[in-house]
Amino acid sequence: EVKDVPIHKCKKLVKMTRVCKEHGEYEAYVSYMFGISSETTCPECEKARLQKELIEENKAKAHDAAKNLSAMRIREKYHQATLDSCTAETESQKTALNLIRRMTQVKRGTIVILGGNGVGKTYFATAALQAIGGRYYTMFEISCIIRSTYSPASKMTEFDFLEILCELPLLVIDEFGRSKISEAELNWLSYIIDRRKSENKPTIIISNARATPAVCLCNSREGRENPCSSCRKICFSSMIGSDIISRLNEESAVIEIDGRDRRIRINKAG
């Protein structure tokens, strides 16, 4: 049975039974307007087509996101790090996370995050990086790239690379102090912090060092390899010296995070 359903004077809709080779019979609607007809397709085929388009769209978005994460030099283990996925168990972690959230809002300032392994330092910083944009480097990587510019074959100078670091929306420097700090590295860091501060660009520095205790015997840069008498760890203030400390006194925050090593818990769960 064919049933005509008038829509208006210039258009009518006809319901008809069609057969899909894959899904069998289905009800199709044929519309006529000004002598031109159009017909609905099999609803199951249409559903499959839309699902396929959605999958392809999601794949394209994931590909673009991966390219963006790669451009920011974010390691794969931190690809899912966002401000929403960050969790804080201790008061120091809550303070650090609040500082990170604040930075993503004002997009300025310097945060130094200290603490042991697996307490969330890099995760928090990477979440900020995904929110603001920019790049992630370890101090070792920065040193290697700068030294590579000394080669006659290099097309980039030391100053060129430092300018790139200074112009990033957000610069994250991880693993500062993991190896012995050279005078050159301290000079680079001082220049980077000063330039970025003068241009109101946010910077995050991450280190496994401890904040200087109230009583610390290693109060000079020459003694930075000696353990503090209290915490028996390397002091961050002794590691960086008075010049950088002076630059960090303005619109900066130094937070030492404590907490359980989350990496150990992940490994046990696995």
Side-chain angles (χ1 to χ4, degrees), residues 1 7 10 162 217 241 264:
E1 179 184 357
I7 304 301
C10 300
L162 289 175
L217 298 179
I264 293 177

Side-chain angles (χ1 to χ4, degrees), residues 11-14 16 18 29-40:
K11 181 177 180 180
K12 66 177 180 178
L13 190 66
V14 179
M16 306 183 70
R18 299 294 195 197
Y29 291 87
V30 184
S31 62
Y32 299 91
M33 177 178 276
F34 302 114
I36 301 174
S37 65
S38 61
E39 181 175 333
T40 59

Side-chain angles (χ1 to χ4, degrees), residues 121-133:
K121 304 185 303 296
T122 303
Y123 196 96
F124 289 173
T126 305
L129 194 58
Q130 295 214 45
I132 298 176

Side-chain angles (χ1 to χ4, degrees), residues 53-65:
E53 287 183 357
L54 181 60
I55 291 173
E56 293 300 323
E57 182 181 347
N58 289 337
K59 284 183 179 179
K61 287 181 179 179
H63 178 70
D64 291 341

Side-chain angles (χ1 to χ4, degrees), residues 17-251:
T17 299
R18 299 294 195 197
V19 178
C20 172
K21 293 181 179 179
E22 185 174 351
H23 301 105
E25 291 187 354
Y26 67 93
E27 289 184 342
Y29 291 87
V30 184
S31 62
Y32 299 91
M33 177 178 276
F34 302 114
I36 301 174
S37 65
S38 61
E39 181 175 333
T40 59
T41 59
C42 168
E44 293 300 321
C45 289
E46 181 67 11
K47 181 179 178 181
R49 183 185 68 80
L50 293 175
Q51 288 178 339
K52 183 178 179 180
E53 287 183 357
L54 181 60
I55 291 173
E56 293 300 323
E57 182 181 347
N58 289 337
K59 284 183 179 179
K61 287 181 179 179
H63 178 70
D64 291 341
K67 286 178 62 178
N68 189 39
L69 293 171
S70 177
M72 291 190 288
R73 307 184 84 255
I74 296 177
R75 298 173 181 178
E76 187 175 355
K77 67 180 292 185
Y78 298 111
H79 281 187
Q80 303 304 317
T82 64
L83 293 176
D84 291 334
S85 67
C86 289
T87 58
E89 299 173 349
T90 66
E91 289 302 316
S92 59
Q93 288 173 339
K94 293 176 183 178
T95 300
L97 186 52
N98 287 336
L99 289 171
I100 291 292
R101 293 185 188 278
R102 175 64 177 168
M103 173 177 277
T104 62
Q105 295 170 353
V106 300
K107 294 180 174 60
R108 61 186 297 171
T110 303
I111 301 176
V112 178
I113 308 178
L114 310 176
N117 296 326
V119 294
K121 304 185 303 296
T122 303
Y123 196 96
F124 289 173
T126 305
L129 194 58
Q130 295 214 45
I132 298 176
R135 287 185 194 169
Y136 166 98
Y137 290 93
T138 65
M139 194 66 214
F140 176 75
E141 289 169 339
I142 290 176
S143 298
C144 288
I145 293 173
I146 290 179
R147 291 189 172 96
S148 72
T149 65
Y150 302 154
S151 167
S154 175
K155 296 181 180 180
M156 182 171 58
T157 67
E158 174 183 346
F159 183 75
D160 290 337
F161 181 61
L162 289 175
E163 285 297 293
I164 291 173
L165 298 181
C166 292
E167 293 298 325
L168 293 170
L170 170 62
L171 173 62
V172 175
I173 302 177
D174 200 353
E175 298 182 1
F176 182 81
R178 185 170 185 176
S179 57
K180 186 176 181 179
I181 305 298
S182 67
E183 290 296 326
E185 289 173 327
L186 290 177
N187 291 334
W188 297 331
L189 186 63
S190 179
Y191 176 78
I192 291 168
I193 292 175
D194 184 56
R195 272 288 307 278
R196 293 185 64 81
K197 274 183 168 293
S198 66
E199 297 179 13
N200 293 323
K201 294 183 182 297
T203 307
I204 299 177
I205 301 171
I206 305 170
S207 176
N208 278 20
R210 298 290 301 273
T212 304
V215 178
C216 179
L217 298 179
C218 57
N219 54 8
S220 66
R221 197 169 63 220
E222 289 71 21
R224 62 178 175 268
E225 293 182 40
N226 297 324
C228 303
S229 59
S230 300
C231 65
R232 310 302 297 173
K233 297 290 184 180
I234 303 297
C235 291
F236 181 75
S237 60
S238 299
M239 188 186 299
I240 62 175
S242 58
D243 179 63
I244 297 178
I245 289 177
S246 176
R247 299 187 188 283
L248 291 176
N249 283 334
E250 181 183 0
E251 201 172 349

